[in-house]
Amino acid sequence: MDSVLRELYQQVILDHQRSPRNFHDLHDPDRRAEGYNPLCGDRINVEIKLGEGGDLEEVGFTGAGCAICTASASMMTETITGKSPADVARLSDSFRDLVTGQAEAGDVEGTLGKLAVFAGVREFPIRVKCATLPWHTLRAALDNRRDPVSTE
Ligand code: ZN
């Protein structure tokens, strides 16, 4: 990864860790799920309020995660608010491909936008699950799965 992207990655992670967006419970959410990453100890709750057409009108998260998990959840909520569940599935697949190295940042940048900086996670394989936990949890909430999500 070039140094510009690495620096951007570090800045973005720090910014979102210090002031996570949408870091709160929702009033009367339509969907919610819990996620846990035993490798790191990240715990996260994702709540969703659905609009009339089934789009994600409001998304909030709470919990205690490491910097990568918190930043990933924060940026995820920013990106998906107002999107449809189909958009969310596409974004979530692209994000997974990006952080696991199955796609290059340039290939998925059009889809992921700012989330493309998470290509930086690849250099720390143990952190991949920290970055994907919020997305797993989000999809579990959308699918109405009752059991808490675990990355293991
Ligand atoms: Zn973590």
Side-chain angles (χ1 to χ4, degrees):
M1 186 166 56
D2 65 53
S3 59
V4 174
L5 189 56
R6 182 177 294 117
E7 197 165 300
L8 183 63
Y9 167 73
Q10 285 164 352
Q11 278 173 10
V12 168
I13 299 280
L14 269 179
D15 172 35
H16 281 263
Q17 183 210 359
R18 283 190 192 129
S19 48
R21 322 301 196 261
N22 304 302
F23 187 69
H24 53 75
D25 290 313
L26 299 189
H27 175 68
D28 197 19
D30 296 303
R31 302 288 173 83
R32 66 185 312 279
E34 288 170 40
Y36 177 46
N37 171 17
L39 267 186
C40 178
D42 307 310
R43 284 184 188 279
I44 184 171
N45 299 298
V46 174
E47 295 186 337
I48 305 168
K49 193 129 188 83
L50 297 171
E52 299 260 317
D55 288 354
L56 287 74
E57 199 172 86
E58 215 185 329
V59 186
F61 78 102
T62 55
C66 66
I68 309 266
C69 178
T70 303
S72 174
S74 171
M75 289 185 74
M76 176 185 82
T77 60
E78 274 196 326
T79 306
I80 61 176
T81 300
K83 298 275 200 299
S84 71
D87 290 334
V88 169
R90 251 193 310 277
L91 283 162
S92 159
D93 288 346
S94 295
F95 186 79
R96 182 203 56 216
D97 290 348
L98 176 75
V99 295
T100 55
Q102 292 174 69
E104 288 309 316
D107 298 336
V108 289
E109 212 171 349
T111 313
L112 291 176
K114 284 194 291 183
L115 291 171
V117 298
F118 276 89
V121 174
R122 279 187 220 172
E123 297 192 2
F124 314 96
I126 199 162
R127 295 297 191 187
V128 167
K129 286 174 176 168
C130 302
T132 55
L133 180 69
W135 290 91
H136 286 306
T137 310
L138 174 75
R139 290 185 78 168
L142 278 175
D143 293 348
N144 247 337
R145 273 181 261 153
R146 304 264 173 225
D147 299 331
V149 180
S150 175
T151 54
E152 293 307 300

